[in-house]
Amino acid sequence: MKLATIVAMSPREKTRPTGQESLRDSVLGGDLIFLLARANALTLAAANAVLAQHGLKARSYSVLALAADDARPTQRELAEFLRLDPSQVVALVDGLEKRQLIERQTDPTDRRANVLVATDAGRDLFARAQESARAVELGLLATVTPEDHERLAELLRLLAFPD
C-alpha cells in the first residue's frame, strides 16, 4: 500500500482487522447457530482425520460405539438418535458388518427387529479409536479449563436432548 493511501485512510480503516480476524469479529462471529455449526465442522474434520487411521469416520464410529457399549440399538433407534436417514444407517451397519466389527442379532423382545452388537474385534477397534478420539477432543479443548469443558458438555447435552 502506498504511503499516500495510508495517510488518507480514516483511523477506523487503519486499525480495522483484516482477513479471518475481521470475519471472526463480524456480526456472524457472535451468532450462536453459526458458532455451533463452525465448531461442529472443525471437530468433525479433526475427528474424521484421526479416525481414518482406524478405518472409521465419525458416523461409523458412533454406530460402533453404541454397539460396543452394549446399548443393543435397533437400526431405527440409531437413525433417530444419530439424526440420520434410515438408509444411511443401513449403509453404515453393512460396512461395519462386512468388516466383522458388528453383527445383527434378533431382538429377544421383538423377533421382527434386529439389534446391533459389537464383535470382539469391534470392541478392540472401538477401544483404540476411542483413545484417538479422546486425544483429538482434548487437543481441540486445550484452551478450555476442565470446569468449562464439563460445562460445555452439560450445555451441549441440553441442546442435543431437550426433552
Side-chain angles (χ1 to χ4, degrees):
M1 198 177 278
K2 293 182 181 179
L3 182 58
T5 305
I6 294 172
V7 172
M9 292 170 69
S10 72
R12 178 168 155 68
E13 291 172 316
K14 289 178 188 175
T15 60
R16 182 174 178 252
T18 59
Q20 287 289 318
E21 189 178 325
S22 70
L23 296 176
R24 184 186 61 228
D25 294 339
S26 72
V27 67
L28 194 55
D31 185 291
L32 185 58
I33 292 172
F34 167 76
L35 292 172
L36 286 168
R38 181 169 166 83
N40 179 57
L42 292 170
T43 55
L44 270 179
N48 282 335
V50 74
L51 291 171
Q53 42 187 313
H54 303 285
L56 300 169
K57 290 186 176 181
R59 287 180 175 181
S60 54
Y61 171 81
S62 298
V63 172
L64 183 58
L66 292 170
D69 193 36
D70 294 326
R72 300 180 60 85
T74 65
Q75 288 180 197
R76 173 174 279 144
E77 290 169 336
L78 279 176
E80 291 172 13
F81 186 74
L82 299 175
R83 307 292 294 173
L84 297 173
D85 185 88
S87 64
Q88 292 172 304
V89 172
V90 168
L92 291 167
V93 170
D94 286 349
L96 292 169
E97 191 174 45
K98 184 177 181 177
R99 293 176 58 193
Q100 299 179 347
L101 299 173
I102 64 172
E103 55 187 32
R104 292 173 170 104
Q105 295 180 354
T106 302
D107 184 348
T109 63
D110 181 358
R111 300 185 63 73
R112 296 167 295 166
N114 289 320
V115 293
L116 303 173
V117 179
T119 63
D120 289 340
R123 290 178 198 285
D124 291 343
L125 179 64
F126 171 69
R128 293 190 310 276
Q130 185 180 34
E131 284 181 30
S132 297
R134 181 72 175 149
V136 165
E137 177 183 320
L138 292 174
L140 289 168
L141 295 173
T143 60
V144 176
T145 66
E147 295 79 20
D148 284 343
H149 185 158
E150 284 300 316
R151 183 66 181 141
L152 177 60
E154 283 178 40
L155 292 170
L156 289 173
R157 273 190 294 277
L158 287 172
L159 288 173
F161 305 108
D163 342 359

